[in-house]
């Protein structure tokens, strides 16, 4: 049979970061996958060199909509390390709170997308319905449901009161119940299991060698989580478990996220009940920094996010290098597609929780006849 | 003491002081880089490439390439700093030793113009738009003004 090449991507209206996977297949079997990048390089690193330290807090929190506060955290904690700036304990706890709320809604989102990709649309709808209250909690704490601008150098910009605290705890009770139910659905549903179990297997040694991060790494049984290995914000004081699953397949990666969501709910409860009193930000804004450099790491919902910030002194950074977790997981995760079926390609890609927008439309080319036709990713997932 | 840090100290690398906890920064010459990295993964195979970050020091005349490696077992970040002359920045590739370094090498070549010798997958346009590539510009060099 002729090899066919299937470009998966590069545009998707719902998620961001366009990318294309060039899938070469022999019949149903995937022979090789190449990744095509560079559709939307936004130059945030270059722009950061022109902005002041304070302005960059807003710039870098806009790199990602879903991981909005973790980017702000990585940038601010790097700058704080260079300047030797002490962050008040209450602000550290509030930062932890908002990052965990973000992890909860991000993990629910990708589980919902996974349900949609395998054709289980009613589950997608239900999960998106149950994700919305968490977005509202983010709005309650920060004033905005997506791009929050919650951070400032040395602290956070808004405090919370008892009324908000009670509201968060109340909403999370319902969310916890629903997440437990969805975990049960993913574990027990026959169709979901058919699509996820044993698909896109990555062995533990390969996951490390190919520098995969986050739930993708932990889904292969490797215990590595920045929150516990390299604590930042208030994570050093908050008890929580690092979740790993040994399967290395798509289901393991999804179950890591479900268990992490439940852990995040526990973290939020702990943070709210142990919230220290005191200021939330320095009295005077920080404008000038000494020379120095910082390697700042944070566990984003998708894995390790790292910023390398260099200062030569003054009011602007000399260099800001940003490496997002999806950059490793999407490009180095290509090893997982070998020997998979074509219909599994979208499932494997989704199991990495890619922060990209690749794939509503797919072009199928028959290399022998030269004919081509477009189909939607959803239909490809269903094996149409 | 972490095994990897001990190894790096024993082979006589110069260590730089940093303020952050769990970060160990060493200076390595381009000639020794491959020997150091292959020694590291022999000491502890649970090391991954967190990122490769290149900084253009235009007035000093060199580009500094920072290899950030995270040791999972010991929970340490090892940073290897390699200096390459600005007019012809070349360092050896490590993607055959740690395959996870490939995307970072592609990214650094495309944006800063550091050539990773031995990596035959290097190409322009990996992230940079084609109109910038056609002008032969490396956008994250300091002499490129926006």
């Amino acid at each position: 049979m002729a090899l066919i090449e299937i470009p998966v991507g590069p545009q998707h209206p719902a998620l961001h970061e366009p990318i294309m996977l060039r899938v070469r297949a022999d019949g149903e079997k995937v022979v090789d996958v190449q990744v095509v990048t560079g559709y939307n390089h936004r130059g945030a690193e270059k722009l950061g060199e022109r902005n002041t330290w304070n302005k960059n807090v807003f710039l870098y929190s806009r790199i990602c909509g879903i991981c909005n506060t973790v980017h702000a955290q990585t940038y601010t904690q790097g700058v704080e390390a260079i300047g030797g700036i002490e962050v008040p304990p209450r602000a550290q706890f509030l930062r932890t709170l908002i990052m965990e709320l973000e992890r909860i809604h991000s993990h629910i989102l990708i589980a919902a997308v996974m349900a949609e990709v395998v054709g289980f649309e009613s589950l997608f709808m239900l999960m998106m319905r149950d994700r919305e209250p968490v977005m509202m909690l983010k709005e309650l704490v920060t004033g905005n449901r997506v791009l929050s601008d919650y951070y400032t150098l040395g602290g956070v910009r808004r405090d919370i009161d008892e009324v908000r605290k009670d509201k968060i705890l109340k909403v999370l009770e319902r969310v916890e119940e629903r997440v437990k139910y969805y975990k049960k659905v993913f574990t027990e549903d026959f169709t979901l299991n058919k699509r996820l179990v044993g698909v896109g297997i990555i062995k533990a040694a390969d996951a490390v060698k190919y520098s995969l991060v986050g739930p993708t790494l932990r889904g292969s049984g490797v215990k590595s989580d920045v929150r516990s290995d390299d604590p930042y914000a208030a994570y050093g004081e908050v008890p929580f478990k690092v979740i790993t699953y040994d399967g290395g397949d798509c289901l393991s990666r999804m179950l890591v996220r479900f268990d992490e969501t439940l852990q995040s709910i526990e973290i939020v409860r702990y943070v709210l009940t142990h919230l220290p009193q005191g200021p939330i930000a320095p009295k005077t804004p920080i404008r000038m920094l000494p020379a120095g450099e910082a390697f700042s790491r944070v566990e984003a919902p998708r894995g390790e996010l790292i910023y390398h910030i260099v200062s030569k002194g003054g009011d602007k950074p000399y260099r800001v290098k940003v490496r997002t977790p999806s950059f490793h997981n999407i490009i180095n995760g290509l090893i997982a597609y070998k020997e998979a079926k074509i219909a599994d390609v979208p499932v494997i890609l989704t199991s990495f929780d890619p922060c990209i927008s690749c794939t509503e439309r797919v072009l199928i080319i028959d290399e022998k006849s030269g004919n081509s036709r477009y189909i939607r990713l959803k239909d490809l997932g269903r094996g149409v | 003491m972490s095994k990897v840090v001990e190894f790096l100290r024993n082979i006589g690398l110069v260590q730089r002081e940093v303020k952050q906890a769990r970060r160990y920064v060493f200076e390595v010459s381009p000639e020794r880089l491959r020997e150091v990295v292959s020694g590291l993964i022999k000491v502890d195979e649970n090391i991954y490439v967190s990122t490769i970050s290149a900084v253009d020091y235009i007035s000093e005349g060199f580009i500094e390439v920072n290899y950030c490696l995270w040791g999972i077992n010991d929970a340490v970040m090892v940073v290897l700093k390699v200096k390459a002359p600005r007019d012809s920045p070349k360092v050896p590739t490590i993607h055959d030793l740690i395959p996870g370094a490939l995307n970072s090498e592609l990214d650094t070549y495309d944006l800063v113009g550091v050539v990773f010798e031995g990596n035959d997958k290097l190409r322009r346009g990996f992230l940079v738009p084609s109109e910038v590539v056609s002008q032969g510009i490396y956008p994250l060099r300091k002499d490129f003004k926006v």
Side-chain angles (χ1 to χ4, degrees):
Chain A
M1 194 181 282
L3 281 185
I4 59 166
E5 185 175 295
I6 307 168
V8 184
Q11 295 294 338
H12 191 297
L15 296 168
H16 26 227
E17 284 186 314
I19 199 168
M20 176 155 80
L21 299 179
R22 277 182 181 279
V23 181
R24 276 181 175 272
D26 179 2
E28 280 290 304
K29 206 170 75 183
V30 175
V31 179
D32 179 40
V33 181
Q34 288 174 344
V35 66
V36 183
T37 47
Y39 290 99
N40 193 16
H41 195 263
R42 291 176 293 174
E45 293 171 331
K46 189 78 177 176
L47 184 56
E49 293 170 7
R50 286 172 46 180
N51 285 348
T52 58
W53 294 108
N54 275 304
K55 228 170 155 182
N56 274 336
V57 180
F58 303 101
L59 169 68
Y60 290 117
S61 68
R62 274 161 181 73
I63 283 186
C64 181
I66 302 171
C67 326
N68 157 247
T69 57
V70 287
H71 274 277
Q73 168 77 33
T74 324
Y75 172 74
T76 48
Q77 80 179 18
V79 173
E80 284 151 12
I82 293 172
I85 301 159
E86 284 285 325
V87 181
R90 188 174 176 88
Q92 295 283 33
F93 270 67
L94 288 172
R95 285 177 173 188
T96 310
L97 165 77
I98 197 65
M99 280 188 287
E100 288 309 317
L101 287 177
E102 203 163 74
R103 193 179 317 278
I104 295 167
H105 81 65
S106 173
H107 281 356
I108 298 177
L109 172 76
I110 198 61
V113 171
M114 180 60 101
E116 195 209 5
V117 164
V118 300
F120 200 161
E121 278 173 17
S122 53
L123 183 60
F124 167 80
M125 294 290 185
L126 289 172
M127 295 187 87
M128 291 305 276
R129 180 198 68 186
D130 292 329
R131 172 183 180 250
E132 194 51 35
V134 188
M135 304 295 286
M136 278 156 60
L137 290 185
K138 194 176 169 191
E139 185 177 350
L140 192 73
V141 178
T142 68
N144 231 332
R145 65 190 282 287
V146 182
L147 293 173
S148 64
D149 290 333
Y150 189 53
Y151 281 66
T152 183
L153 294 179
V156 292
R157 299 173 73 203
R158 280 166 176 244
D159 206 346
I160 62 167
D161 54 20
E162 289 301 319
V163 180
R164 287 191 169 89
K165 233 193 247 183
D166 293 344
K167 170 93 179 154
I168 295 169
L169 291 171
K170 204 171 155 217
V171 170
L172 284 183
E173 260 173 47
R174 163 95 176 142
V175 174
E176 185 180 27
E177 185 193 313
R178 295 305 294 170
V179 170
K180 281 183 179 160
Y181 171 70
Y182 294 131
K183 187 191 166 194
K184 193 164 169 261
V185 173
F186 267 73
T187 325
E188 293 176 5
D189 183 81
F190 178 75
T191 319
L192 277 171
N193 272 274
K194 274 273 197 197
R195 298 303 310 272
L196 302 177
V197 176
V199 172
I201 293 181
I202 303 174
K203 291 184 193 128
D206 285 341
V208 177
K209 215 161 67 176
Y210 283 87
S211 305
L212 303 181
V213 290
T216 311
L217 182 63
R218 293 191 286 277
S220 293
V222 182
K223 201 173 175 188
S224 173
D225 187 319
V226 184
R227 292 175 294 169
S228 71
D229 304 340
D230 192 10
Y232 54 94
Y235 288 108
E237 299 163 48
V238 180
F240 69 97
K241 271 192 264 173
V242 177
I243 308 292
T244 57
Y245 274 82
D246 293 332
D249 57 0
C250 292
L251 183 69
S252 298
R253 296 191 271 277
M254 297 317 291
L255 291 181
V256 166
R257 295 194 183 98
F258 279 116
D259 285 359
E260 278 187 7
T261 312
L262 296 172
Q263 283 294 315
S264 295
I265 293 171
E266 288 301 323
I267 295 175
V268 170
R269 285 189 182 131
Y270 184 92
V271 165
L272 287 177
T273 46
H274 293 78
L275 196 60
Q277 293 301 322
I280 57 161
K283 281 190 180 138
T284 50
I286 292 136
R287 297 192 197 283
M288 304 296 271
L289 250 71
E293 69 177 332
F295 300 92
S296 174
R297 299 169 76 235
V298 161
E299 185 72 24
R302 285 156 193 79
E304 180 209 37
L305 168 68
I306 178 166
Y307 275 47
H308 175 212
I309 305 171
V310 181
S311 164
K312 277 194 160 185
D315 65 345
K316 291 186 179 82
Y318 186 71
R319 168 88 161 102
V320 184
K321 161 78 186 171
V322 180
R323 199 274 295 152
T324 59
S326 290
F327 185 59
H328 275 351
N329 287 346
I330 295 169
I331 297 171
N332 297 336
L334 295 180
I335 47 165
Y337 299 96
K338 291 262 164 70
E339 303 292 310
K341 302 257 174 65
I342 292 179
D344 292 335
V345 171
V347 176
I348 297 172
L349 181 66
T350 309
S351 78
F352 294 148
D353 193 356
C355 201
I356 57 156
S357 56
C358 62
T359 45
E360 181 60 30
R361 214 172 52 154
V362 167
L363 171 68
I364 290 196
I365 309 164
D366 186 330
E367 285 198 339
K368 251 187 183 170
S369 64
N371 292 337
S372 60
R373 64 192 168 102
Y374 285 103
I375 63 169
R376 294 183 306 163
L377 174 73
K378 262 194 284 191
D379 300 332
L380 185 73
R382 289 168 184 166
V384 174
Chain B
M1 170 59 67
S2 147
K3 273 192 295 181
V4 284
V5 176
E6 206 178 318
F7 166 77
L8 292 170
R9 281 182 186 156
N10 287 344
I11 58 170
L13 296 182
V14 180
Q15 187 174 355
R16 273 202 212 170
E17 286 303 314
V18 283
K19 285 186 212 158
Q20 284 174 292
R22 293 175 288 277
R23 308 284 188 274
Y24 298 88
V25 180
F26 293 90
E27 288 172 19
V28 185
S29 65
E31 297 78 34
R32 285 195 74 187
L33 179 71
R34 283 182 64 85
E35 167 210 326
V36 172
V37 173
S38 47
L40 264 182
I41 47 178
K42 263 184 211 146
V43 174
D44 183 356
E45 60 182 16
N46 275 347
I47 288 180
Y48 70 80
V49 178
S50 196
T51 189
I52 298 175
S53 155
V55 186
D56 179 14
Y57 288 98
I58 187 164
S59 48
E60 291 87 342
F62 64 85
I63 290 179
E64 185 183 71
V65 187
N66 296 274
Y67 291 80
C68 305
L69 312 171
W70 179 255
I72 295 174
N73 294 350
D74 298 348
V76 288
M77 168 154 277
V78 170
V79 181
L80 305 175
K81 282 183 178 286
V82 181
K83 281 181 191 171
R86 213 176 161 274
D87 44 6
S88 163
K90 285 180 186 161
V91 289
T93 181
I94 60 161
H95 94 278
D96 51 336
L97 304 171
I98 306 177
L102 178 65
N103 59 343
S104 300
E105 289 191 355
L106 293 172
D107 167 70
T108 310
Y109 172 68
D110 202 22
L111 290 162
V112 194
V114 177
V115 178
F116 293 86
E117 286 183 308
N119 184 344
D120 54 4
K121 293 179 180 138
L122 293 183
R123 63 184 163 88
R124 291 305 314 271
F126 176 65
L127 293 172
V128 175
S130 54
E131 66 268 24
V132 179
V133 173
S134 61
Q135 295 171 56
I137 293 167
Y138 295 104
L140 290 184
R141 292 239 186 140
K142 287 287 174 183
D143 48 5
F144 174 60
K145 302 277 181 229
V146 182

